[in-house]
Amino acid sequence: MRDLLTLTPRTEAHVALATFFSSAETLSAELEVREDHCFGEGWLSLGSIFLKPSLDAHYETRSDDLLTHAVRNGSYEWHTPKQTELLAAALSLVSKDNTAGQQQKLKNALIGLSHIVQRLGLKSPIFDPSFISQLPLKRSATIVADTNAVLQGGLNFASRNLSPIALLKIPAVVQMEITGWSGNYFRLRRDGKLAANSGVGLQMHMRSQGAQRSLIRLELSMQTDTERVRFGADPLRGIMQNDSDNEHKALNLQVVQQGFADRLIFETALQHLHASSPGHRVVLMTSDQGLARMCLSEGMEVAFYRAAQLEDFSETVLSGTVFNPFSPKLLHVPLVDILWELAVAFGLCRIRSGQHTLAVLAMGEQLNWTPYHANEDLLWVSAQRTNSKNDRTSPQDDPVEPGMDALPVGGRHIETAESGERKEEPEPAIGFFAAPSDATIALTPELDTQTPPVDFPNIALPDLGNQESQKNDNNQRVALIGADKANSAPTEQRQLVPAYKVSPATLLHLVQQLAINRTTTTADIMSLFHFTHERKVQEYRGFLVASRLVNYQQGVLTATERLDKLWNALRQNDFASYGQYLCSSEAMQLLVGSLKVGQGEKLANLAIRVAAAPGYICFAEMSGCALEIHNDGLYPTPSRPVPEDFGPIAYETYLEHARSEGVYIASGQWLESLAKKYGIHPLWSRQALEESRVQKLLERYVEGSTPDTRFAKHAFCTSEFSRNEISIKQVSLYEGDFLLPGKSSASLRLKRPS
Amino acid sequence: MSEDSKYFSLTVWRPSRLARGLAQYSEKEEGHTFAKVDQYEQFHEAVYSWSAAADVWGGIVEPDVAFRLRESLLQNFSPSISPQHRNIGALRGVLAEVRKILGDNSQSAWQDLSEHGGEVENDDVTRANTLIALFHHLSWVVEVFQDIPRASVTIR
């Protein structure tokens, strides 16, 4: 099997990434990078990505559009690894020589990850308060950046938050220093010396490529006005010298004379200050204390920021949506931007979930580069799916993604292996900051004791991601039989039951079409609902066939008598009849059957796959079979007590909340308690309450009041047939119009007849 | 939560360093009074101000927890409290509280917001966990301003 590497613009990669998550059927993925010379064939894990797409108001399942929206608009969390684990993993990849010097070099290189985070805007650099207190700028000013400001994200911060009122200027010596880094890196790469000098090689790669990308993106960005400042040829002539570091002498590296370079940067700023009109501020941005002091002593304004540390990246949860520090708005960092930055900094980056992998490549022996790539921000993208049933391996166990090993010699095509023994990855710790594994203890105490200053030490992985990533993702639509389905049963003991990911609104619309037209085809369904992938039709077809609502033969779906009965029930809003048609499939019976009255089940622990669950829950709620209580769980509601039985239960539940007769309680609270404790669905409670009142078993008093918006999400799905259209509606339990339609009944009081 | 309760505004203050005398007009005394040099420290100037359009508490699942945290912030960082009791360091306590909430998956969540920050019903949706965003922003504020002597914070 050969997968094509596709040159993809960053702006068009959102769809590929959304497709990756859609295909993977999980919203979590591992993020990994590889430097082909320094890491050999191993991959370094940089933590996990958890996508957080929206669920629409009608409880529809996650569509590809919503996934694309999430990818594009920064709806994700990036859980980064602990520093010690990161260093240990990197060390195991680059060298057998576990010396303190090697560790320090690696640490110096991996600080580049903090730089990437700041360049992307996931975190802001820690600036000097005197600079921040003058922001946002009220008059135009010029910011002259030094090399570190380009590398560490200071320049990106200014571009993002201060442009266009701030003009950004890059001294020629900055370009020269970065080009020097790049030259050094490629010289070592060409000479085959990177593997033997992995620490310094990785640092050169990350620094040179990251900083060059930063400059190029700013230059080509329409929003940023950057300017190169020339400072004559003569002073620059002797600025490069051989690296005097004893360990590097043999590598023949060229570095700038630091003091000279700092002075030239300063002179550039000074020259610009002299050329500017009076009152125009010129600020030199640096994280170099020496240069900052020089500026202060010579009367130049300085925007100093603290040099980023690896601790800034360690063991934290980064969000793709961040607050703008100078306005009330939110900033979004597309997920693709992370992949692009990492790919450029390391050469290769991939995101992996189960058997699905999306790799982004910026460098490889056979990969060419032209300025056109930079103009369009093109990188090589490959989406793959392996056929192995054991889908998860640790980086150590599976250092080479099938196909990636062939990349350096494979040109634009990469090979994928079809088989290979892999070990199951150990079950992830529930706490994100669990104790390091044995493999990570090899570090020195000095590295081990370093802790992040202000981060989340106790954040656990989201349930969804955790549960999902542990499931066997063999690309079948599976449901798991057993009480503790998701966690306990070994894979081979689980019985597989098909569960289909459908949007309830779309499915009911399809039922309506079939009731009217009797037959339909895949092409018709794709056209009607604007589906772009046939697999979506397969989901709907699967649900209908499993519920015996259609017969499927030779590409044609034909409505059955059951579908006609369902359609009649829907038209009459006869919820009591829905269940026998919508809840008859094996997966639905499994879902509802595995629930226990009085015991809520979390979405991630349900007996069917998580992606399909929202649709099934909606149909179960519509049919009165179950009720999902917000932030609590899914409860079964099989009870249908007659008024004589309902009266005492209803009154007792009321008293539990009211404490004494005569007190009004929230009607939603009462309804939810009946569902939780006695398994009575609100639809039935409403009906039974009315019957009890008519039979004088209970007296019911209601009161209108402003709905408590804290409970806005306490709602359930129901259908509504109106104006010849079927639709899904959310019924809020606390808003007060449910118990008595047309009358406000947010609060309820019950009384036994005297 | 009402619209008012979603509003979040933070200001960082430092003792003012006035170079010249300050006059304050007072109608009661029908004239000008001049602040003395040793009174300058009772004046504080804002060095950083920020407000959020989005509901920063929306990321907290339990409304009661959000309400309690907000009330605690408003009380502890009220302008009526002496600046030394609402210093930058006190924000670390807030961060610890937020961190605790974020540490429990069931207590924070992503939500749909409109472009202008509020919750919406249409398709034009921004999705955010504003509590994580707030945590990082407050961390940044602490890191940036912690070295200003006698800096203080007010939250509205």
Side-chain angles (χ1 to χ4, degrees):
Chain A
M1 176 181 164
R2 295 172 75 87
D3 288 298
L4 191 65
L5 273 178
T6 313
L7 256 181
T8 308
R10 182 173 50 89
T11 50
E12 292 177 15
H14 305 293
V15 176
L17 205 46
T19 306
F20 162 82
F21 278 106
S22 180
S23 308
E25 297 293 352
T26 174
L27 297 177
S28 65
E30 296 298 311
L31 188 61
E32 295 167 329
V33 290
R34 181 177 149 203
E35 213 289 346
D36 56 351
H37 284 230
C38 298
F39 292 172
E41 296 182 334
W43 290 84
L44 178 64
S45 171
L46 297 182
S48 306
I49 297 287
F50 295 89
L51 200 66
K52 302 287 181 179
S54 182
L55 282 170
D56 77 11
H58 297 300
Y59 225 119
E60 295 203 359
T61 50
R62 297 177 178 92
S63 69
D64 284 355
D65 286 347
L66 291 175
L67 292 177
T68 308
H69 186 276
V71 166
R72 191 193 302 273
N73 292 291
S75 302
Y76 61 86
E77 289 174 11
W78 180 6
H79 293 223
T80 63
K82 202 172 183 175
Q83 178 184 207
T84 49
E85 292 171 5
L86 179 70
L87 282 168
L91 208 58
S92 70
L93 288 173
V94 301
S95 171
K96 309 285 180 290
D97 176 22
N98 185 8
T99 63
Q102 185 68 265
Q103 288 177 17
Q104 191 54 48
K105 280 178 185 160
L106 259 184
K107 188 179 177 190
N108 290 343
L110 293 174
I111 286 173
L113 290 166
S114 299
H115 300 161
I116 287 171
V117 165
Q118 292 191 165
R119 287 202 299 266
L120 286 167
L122 295 169
K123 278 189 170 185
S124 295
I126 310 299
F127 276 97
D128 181 50
S130 59
F131 175 61
I132 295 293
S133 63
Q134 294 170 41
L135 303 179
L137 296 169
K138 293 184 173 57
R139 296 183 61 184
S140 71
T142 298
I143 292 176
V144 179
D146 81 343
T147 315
N148 279 325
V150 176
L151 178 68
Q152 300 192 18
L155 191 64
N156 294 78
F157 177 89
S159 162
R160 193 177 300 116
N161 300 305
L162 309 179
S163 186
I165 198 165
L167 305 171
L168 308 178
K169 302 225 177 279
I170 317 295
V173 68
V174 170
Q175 291 275 12
M176 205 163 168
E177 188 172 4
I178 293 171
T179 307
W181 289 345
S182 190
N184 284 334
Y185 170 72
F186 282 108
R187 190 178 310 120
L188 291 186
R189 189 180 170 94
R190 276 195 302 273
D191 296 347
K193 294 179 178 174
L194 281 174
N197 301 277
S198 306
V200 70
L202 182 63
Q203 185 180 20
M204 282 183 201
H205 191 163
M206 293 182 73
R207 283 202 318 193
S208 64
Q209 301 308 298
Q212 279 192 331
R213 173 176 173 79
S214 184
L215 284 179
I216 290 171
R217 297 299 2 126
L218 284 172
E219 175 63 29
L220 298 177
S221 158
M222 296 296 283
Q223 290 86 29
T224 309
D225 174 29
T226 55
E227 189 179 328
R228 310 283 166 269
V229 181
R230 288 180 191 152
F231 194 79
D234 279 347
L236 294 178
R237 196 169 50 197
I239 198 166
M240 302 303 285
Q241 61 179 14
N242 285 334
D243 191 345
S244 58
D245 187 322
N246 283 335
E247 289 188 45
H248 298 164
K249 270 182 182 168
L251 301 178
N252 196 26
L253 303 180
Q254 293 280 304
V255 294
V256 295
Q257 297 182 47
Q258 201 55 54
F260 192 7
D262 287 352
R263 185 67 207 181
L264 285 176
I265 290 167
F266 175 80
E267 290 292 340
T268 303
L270 200 61
Q271 185 190 48
H272 190 75
L273 183 63
H274 292 155
S276 303
S277 31
H280 182 87
R281 291 171 60 196
V282 175
V283 183
L284 200 154
M285 181 181 281
T286 181
S287 65
D288 183 328
Q289 290 192 11
L291 181 53
R293 287 194 172 98
M294 189 200 305
C295 289
L296 291 175
S297 63
E298 299 208 27
M300 172 71 66
E301 274 194 76
V302 62
F304 179 79
Y305 63 95
R306 193 199 75 190
Q309 303 298 316
L310 184 52
E311 287 85 343
D312 299 333
F313 176 77
S314 168
E315 204 181 15
T316 189
V317 175
L318 300 166
S319 160
T321 310
V322 295
F323 282 120
N324 183 320
F326 305 112
S327 90
K329 291 187 175 176
L330 286 157
L331 295 171
H332 311 291
V333 182
L335 184 52
V336 170
D337 288 12
I338 292 180
L339 299 189
W340 251 238
E341 277 285 339
L342 290 174
V344 168
F346 286 88
L348 294 92
C349 167
R350 73 178 179 186
I351 191 165
R352 186 168 63 90
S353 178
Q355 302 159 341
H356 297 268
T357 303
L358 184 89
V360 183
L361 297 87
M363 197 178 287
E365 298 300 323
Q366 301 296 319
L367 298 181
N368 65 327
W369 180 89
T370 72
Y372 185 80
H373 293 187
N375 282 321
E376 301 288 318
D377 207 3
L378 304 175
L379 289 183
W380 304 90
V381 172
S382 165
Q384 298 178 69
R385 181 176 173 279
T386 59
N387 291 329
S388 168
K389 290 196 175 180
N390 297 324
D391 54 351
R392 302 249 308 165
T393 57
S394 68
Q396 286 78 16
D397 293 334
D398 176 29
V400 188
E401 174 66 19
M404 288 299 151
D405 52 340
L407 180 67
V409 293
R412 298 187 182 192
H413 291 80
I414 53 179
E415 297 287 341
T416 54
E418 294 292 329
S419 61
E421 284 296 316
R422 298 185 186 188
K423 293 178 185 174
E424 279 285 339
E425 186 178 30
E427 193 169 291
I430 290 174
F432 184 66
F433 301 110
S437 65
D438 291 341
T440 65
I441 329 177
L443 292 174
T444 60
E446 181 195 340
L447 293 175
D448 249 336
T449 53
Q450 288 170 351
T451 52
V454 187
D455 279 315
F456 316 152
N458 296 316
I459 289 182
L461 289 170
D463 287 340
L464 181 60
N466 236 346
Q467 301 294 345
E468 280 280 54
S469 64
Q470 291 170 46
K471 286 184 180 175
N472 182 18
D473 181 11
N474 61 0
N475 206 32
Q476 294 184 49
R477 311 302 187 220
V478 298
L480 310 176
I481 287 182
D484 299 316
K485 298 69 53 178
N487 297 322
S488 60
T491 307
E492 60 275 15
Q493 291 174 10
R494 293 173 188 163
Q495 191 175 338
L496 305 181
V497 174
Y500 301 95
K501 183 174 143 185
V502 297
S503 150
T506 306
L507 189 112
L508 293 190
H509 193 186
L510 183 55
V511 166
Q512 181 177 15
Q513 292 302 312
L514 277 162
I516 295 166
N517 301 324
R518 310 306 305 158
T519 59
T520 189
T521 63
T522 300
D524 289 344
I525 296 173
M526 289 184 73
S527 165
L528 180 64
F529 297 112
H530 306 291
F531 289 161
T532 50
H533 299 291
E534 193 177 325
R535 61 180 171 73
K536 279 196 169 183
V537 181
Q538 290 168 2
E539 299 271 4
Y540 287 87
R541 190 173 66 216
F543 186 96
L544 291 170
V545 171
S547 304
R548 290 175 284 132
L549 296 170
V550 297
N551 290 322
Y552 178 61
Q553 279 185 334
Q554 296 177 339
V556 178
L557 280 81
T558 308
T560 63
E561 193 181 339
R562 282 168 57 82
L563 186 135
D564 295 331
K565 288 179 179 171
L566 169 64
W567 179 238
N568 284 334
L570 288 168
R571 285 200 302 174
Q572 292 161 22
N573 294 321
D574 176 14
F575 80 89
S577 301
Y578 298 166
Q580 53 185 306
Y581 309 113
L582 285 173
C583 299
S584 61
S585 68
E586 202 175 349
M588 184 64 96
Q589 287 184 358
L590 174 63
L591 170 69
V592 177
S594 66
L595 301 172
K596 291 177 185 164
V597 173
Q599 196 175 316
E601 197 69 83
K602 297 278 184 199
L603 185 72
N605 297 334
L606 294 180
I608 60 172
R609 68 184 175 119
V610 172
Y616 281 76
I617 292 173
C618 181
F619 290 133
E621 288 186 337
M622 275 174 56
S623 313
C625 300
L627 179 74
E628 191 194 15
I629 297 179
H630 184 62
N631 286 330
D632 190 335
L634 184 67
Y635 288 85
T637 53
S639 306
R640 301 284 186 271
V642 293
E644 290 77 10
D645 296 333
F646 180 78
I649 292 172
Y651 185 71
E652 186 186 320
T653 306
Y654 159 76
L655 269 190
E656 270 177 24
H657 295 291
R659 307 280 182 198
S660 64
E661 207 174 66
V663 176
Y664 280 90
I665 62 168
S667 53
Q669 193 180 24
W670 178 74
L671 289 163
E672 286 189 342
S673 291
L674 285 171
K676 284 169 75 167
K677 197 169 175 184
Y678 299 103
I680 308 173
H681 195 278
L683 288 166
W684 191 261
S685 294
R686 179 174 67 176
Q687 187 175 323
L689 178 64
E690 179 59 18
E691 288 171 3
S692 302
R693 188 188 67 81
V694 171
Q695 294 180 30
K696 300 194 185 306
L697 297 168
L698 275 178
E699 288 180 15
R700 178 207 64 197
Y701 303 91
V702 293
E703 201 172 65
S705 59
T706 308
D708 193 336
T709 53
R710 290 181 301 168
F711 300 104
K713 290 178 179 172
H714 289 241
F716 69 94
C717 273
T718 187
S719 68
E720 185 176 76
F721 184 76
S722 173
R723 296 181 184 174
N724 216 26
E725 287 288 335
I726 188 77
S727 61
I728 297 288
K729 205 174 96 177
Q730 287 284 305
V731 176
S732 177
L733 290 171
Y734 283 76
E735 283 188 3
D737 56 353
F738 172 66
L739 270 186
L740 293 175
K743 186 175 178 182
S744 182
S745 55
S747 301
L748 171 76
R749 178 165 74 86
L750 296 182
K751 191 181 170 193
R752 277 177 165 161
S754 52
Chain B
M1 271 190 188
S2 68
E3 283 306 310
D4 283 349
S5 64
K6 291 176 181 174
Y7 182 76
F8 182 92
S9 171
L10 171 144
T11 306
V12 179
W13 305 85
R14 73 169 178 205
S16 183
R17 286 174 291 179
L18 298 171
R20 298 185 179 179
L22 187 71
Q24 184 182 24
Y25 179 74
S26 166
E27 286 191 21
K28 282 183 183 173
E29 297 178 15
E30 297 177 348
H32 293 85
T33 57
F34 291 88
K36 293 177 185 174
V37 174
D38 59 1
Q39 290 178 322
Y40 284 167
E41 288 203 356
Q42 62 187 273
F43 293 99
H44 287 249
E45 60 178 316
V47 288
Y48 177 72
S49 203
W50 176 78
S51 61
D55 175 13
V56 296
W57 311 118
I60 303 178
V61 169
E62 282 300 326
D64 290 344
V65 175
F67 181 77
R68 276 202 304 275
L69 184 58
R70 178 177 174 273
E71 287 302 302
S72 154
L73 273 183
L74 292 183
Q75 283 171 15
N76 294 330
F77 293 92
S78 159
S80 63
I81 291 176
S82 151
Q84 62 261 35
H85 291 122
R86 48 176 171 81
N87 56 33
I88 288 281
L91 269 185
R92 291 190 188 279
V94 178
L95 287 171
E97 278 294 309
V98 175
R99 182 190 297 155
K100 211 164 121 188
I101 295 168
L102 288 169
D104 182 349
N105 287 330
S106 63
Q107 288 206 41
S108 77
W110 284 66
Q111 59 177 338
D112 293 340
L113 308 165
S114 70
E115 279 304 314
H116 59 274
E119 290 187 55
V120 288
E121 292 173 357
N122 59 26
D123 291 337
D124 187 18
V125 169
T126 289
R127 190 138 171 89
N129 184 331
T130 47
L131 198 64
I132 297 181
L134 180 70
F135 179 88
H136 284 300
H137 186 62
L138 290 184
S139 301
W140 180 79
V141 168
V142 169
E143 292 285 327
V144 169
F145 295 104
Q146 64 184 348
D147 294 331
I148 297 183
R150 285 169 289 151
S152 59
V153 180
T154 55
I155 292 175
R156 287 184 294 124

